[in-house]
Amino acid sequence: MKQILERSFTKRCRWIWSFTNRQSNTVRYWLPQPIDTSTQDNITCHGVSSLLQQRWSFPHDLLWADVDPGDTITVSYEVDLYRLSWRGRSPSKEKKEVNILSPLSEKERDFYLRSTVMAPVNEDMRQKAMKLTAGAETEWEKIQKIYTHIVTHMNYQYPPKQRGASFMAETRRGDCGEFSLLFTSYCRSLGIPTRTLFGAWANEAGPHAWNEVYHEPFGWLPVDTSIANNVKKLHNRLLLPFQMGVNGSPNRHLGESEGNRIAFSVDANLALTPSFEEVTPPEDYPDFTFGVENFYYGFQTHDGTAPYLQPGYIQFNQAPEKMKLPDILGDSSIQENGIMGKLRLLKQSSFILFLLVLFTEIAARFISPMTFPPYVLSATGSFFLCLYVFASLLRREGNRILLSFLILVVTFFFIDQLVLLTGEI
């Protein structure tokens, strides 16, 4: 049986982002324009604020603006998202051209093999990568060993105390960004083109980072070591498929994707144009660890590059008065179009109504005498829970076997309560 990488459309989403300058002085903001990846394409721009200007760059075109106090910049894009899944034998055994994407140009290959501050390619990383891939005969086996090592031996921590692949390799603690940067660093150290993607979950706009690794004959393949690490734990294996729509198996995040994420930018340490004019940070301004210690976010860059763009990077000229995340990263909202958006609304509303009925039923048991049979609320609650499970199944969010079993149990209980209610009438 031939190995096939299936790519299927999941939904079309609209990403709306805005940034309001709440400081008392002008700030400069850079924002990348999203590009096609293995799991997103057909990107349509529906509006960009007149303040934003475009600069041509690689691999992204950049938008930038000098934003005066009180001014707001906005962008709006629509994106098609896709699910990727394997069918057939292991990709390491398939040598024919199957589902191949565009071959890498020399410029692209060099770019995705480069050493950066956040994902360094040096002798230390090369030695570590060679050690953990010992015995691997093919490139795909090396990728698998790196994936397995990170998923097995790293620990998820949010927020991390230090950011960057070097610190992740040393402390073995980090969030999705550090998991992805370390995977990039190890793969590049072995000559495997790899990039880190920064974006958000399409169903809740929560920030996320993951990878794409280039492997012929398939092209760019998605890799998510942090989700694979998280679903090793039983409670996350049950929770995250409902919350994020991801697969609950740790083995299903190498070359596969659920089609429920939008990538804002591709790779870390992207050059900023126009150039970033560094100024001395205030004495009491907090320092961070972004690839290097004592990094002053918003006042410094890594040799003219932003540590990463999620979705953008800001330049302060003086001590900021406001430092909450929206004051730095802006506000994102993601809307699902069509039937998927309606199913999302059905899922959310039915679960809220189920909880409301459940609390009402608990409160009603303390009311004496009750003015209605207790199973009226039980039947109503079962109905809303059944709708929630049904919507989850259609959206492919949650374990299918568990959902199917739950919907049968809930349906049986609902019919039982309905029979009792009918007998009372």
Side-chain angles (χ1 to χ4, degrees):
M1 181 171 57
K2 182 182 294 185
Q3 171 67 25
I4 297 174
L5 182 62
E6 290 187 346
R7 186 174 189 255
S8 57
F9 175 80
T10 57
K11 54 193 170 186
R12 186 163 178 81
C13 294
R14 172 168 289 196
W15 171 46
I16 303 171
W17 175 87
S18 66
F19 170 79
T20 300
N21 182 9
R22 298 184 177 91
Q23 313 299 332
S24 60
N25 65 303
T26 300
V27 301
R28 178 167 287 184
Y29 210 96
W30 289 265
L31 187 76
Q33 292 189 294
I35 62 174
D36 291 352
T37 71
S38 63
T39 57
Q40 70 179 36
D41 65 15
N42 194 21
I43 301 171
T44 307
C45 180
H46 283 274
V48 174
S49 294
S50 58
L51 290 174
L52 284 163
Q53 303 178 57
Q54 187 172 10
R55 283 292 178 93
W56 285 265
S57 186
F58 179 84
H60 289 270
D61 289 339
L62 291 178
L63 300 173
W64 72 278
D66 287 325
V67 190
D68 293 329
D71 283 351
T72 298
I73 52 177
T74 60
V75 297
S76 175
Y77 295 95
E78 282 196 353
V79 184
D80 284 348
L81 303 182
Y82 297 86
R83 177 181 293 105
L84 290 181
S85 56
W86 292 115
R87 293 292 182 270
R89 301 185 318 221
S90 166
S92 61
K93 299 179 181 178
E94 179 56 57
K95 301 300 181 183
K96 297 180 181 179
E97 291 189 356
V98 182
N99 301 91
I100 190 166
L101 304 181
S102 299
L104 287 183
S105 66
E106 185 176 347
K107 179 179 181 180
E108 289 174 315
R109 181 172 292 276
D110 290 343
F111 187 83
Y112 294 121
L113 287 174
R114 67 195 173 114
S115 177
T116 66
V117 176
M118 300 301 288
V121 179
N122 52 36
E123 186 60 24
D124 178 54
M125 284 295 186
R126 191 177 74 86
Q127 290 296 329
K128 290 177 179 177
M130 290 179 63
K131 182 178 180 180
L132 64 91
T133 59
E137 297 180 357
T138 65
E139 182 180 87
W140 184 253
E141 289 176 351
K142 293 178 182 179
I143 294 171
Q144 287 178 312
K145 282 181 174 288
I146 292 173
Y147 173 85
T148 301
H149 170 80
I150 294 176
V151 170
T152 304
H153 297 288
M154 302 297 139
N155 299 292
Y156 188 89
Q157 180 186 44
Y158 179 83
K161 296 181 179 180
Q162 300 168 313
R163 291 197 176 276
S166 296
F167 296 103
M168 181 65 165
E170 183 178 324
T171 65
R172 298 195 173 192
R173 292 187 176 275
D175 65 2
C176 57
E178 278 53 63
F179 272 81
S180 304
L181 290 165
L182 183 59
F183 183 85
T184 294
S185 188
Y186 280 157
C187 286
R188 287 182 180 178
S189 297
L190 300 179
I192 304 171
T194 310
R195 57 193 188 186
T196 305
L197 276 61
F198 298 93
W201 296 103
N203 58 350
E204 61 172 26
H208 189 49
W210 64 102
N211 290 101
E212 284 187 344
V213 60
Y214 193 85
H215 178 65
E216 296 182 355
F218 302 100
W220 287 112
L221 297 177
V223 181
D224 199 328
T225 51
S226 65
I227 289 296
N229 175 270
N230 270 278
V231 297
K232 290 192 306 178
K233 301 174 182 178
L234 180 60
H235 68 283
N236 283 332
R237 186 170 298 188
L238 297 175
L239 176 64
L240 291 181
F242 283 96
Q243 184 180 0
M244 308 295 188
V246 301
N247 195 293
S249 170
N251 300 321
R252 296 291 300 277
H253 299 280
L254 176 59
E256 299 189 69
S257 178
E258 73 296 314
N260 193 35
R261 58 187 77 189
I262 294 177
F264 303 150
S265 63
V266 171
D267 214 42
N269 289 117
L270 300 181
L272 297 175
T273 55
S275 61
F276 188 104
E277 299 174 4
E278 296 192 3
V279 297
T280 303
E283 291 185 2
D284 58 347
Y285 189 75
D287 62 316
F288 303 86
T289 300
F290 276 85
V292 294
E293 296 180 346
N294 304 318
F295 180 82
Y296 295 92
Y297 190 96
F299 286 92
Q300 292 180 331
T301 61
H302 295 151
D303 296 325
T305 69
Y308 49 78
L309 299 168
Q310 194 180 29
Y313 195 64
I314 193 170
Q315 177 185 359
F316 297 117
N317 296 308
Q318 64 184 45
E321 298 91 353
K322 299 180 182 297
M323 282 288 288
K324 293 184 178 180
L325 282 180
D327 302 321
I328 301 174
L329 303 181
D331 291 291
S332 286
S333 66
I334 298 177
Q335 305 167 355
E336 297 176 325
N337 297 349
I339 186 64
M340 296 303 289
K342 292 180 175 61
L343 286 173
R344 179 185 180 185
L345 179 61
L346 175 64
K347 178 181 176 179
Q348 292 174 333
S349 59
S350 58
F351 188 71
I352 292 173
L353 289 171
F354 164 73
L355 292 178
L356 180 63
V357 172
L358 178 63
F359 291 141
T360 303
E361 183 178 9
I362 293 173
R365 294 184 183 276
F366 295 95
I367 300 176
S368 182
M370 294 183 65
T371 57
F372 48 84
Y375 36 80
V376 172
L377 290 174
S378 296
T380 305
S382 299
F383 173 73
F384 287 129
L385 184 58
C386 192
L387 282 179
Y388 169 78
V389 175
F390 180 69
S392 298
L393 274 172
L394 292 179
R395 286 175 57 84
R396 296 193 179 186
E397 293 176 345
N399 184 287
R400 292 187 183 183
I401 298 177
L402 179 61
L403 282 170
S404 300
F405 175 75
L406 185 58
I407 200 169
L408 288 174
V409 172
V410 172
T411 303
F412 174 79
F413 184 73
F414 170 71
I415 294 174
D416 181 65
Q417 297 297 309
L418 197 62
V419 170
L420 289 173
L421 177 62
T422 306
E424 290 285 334
I425 299 177

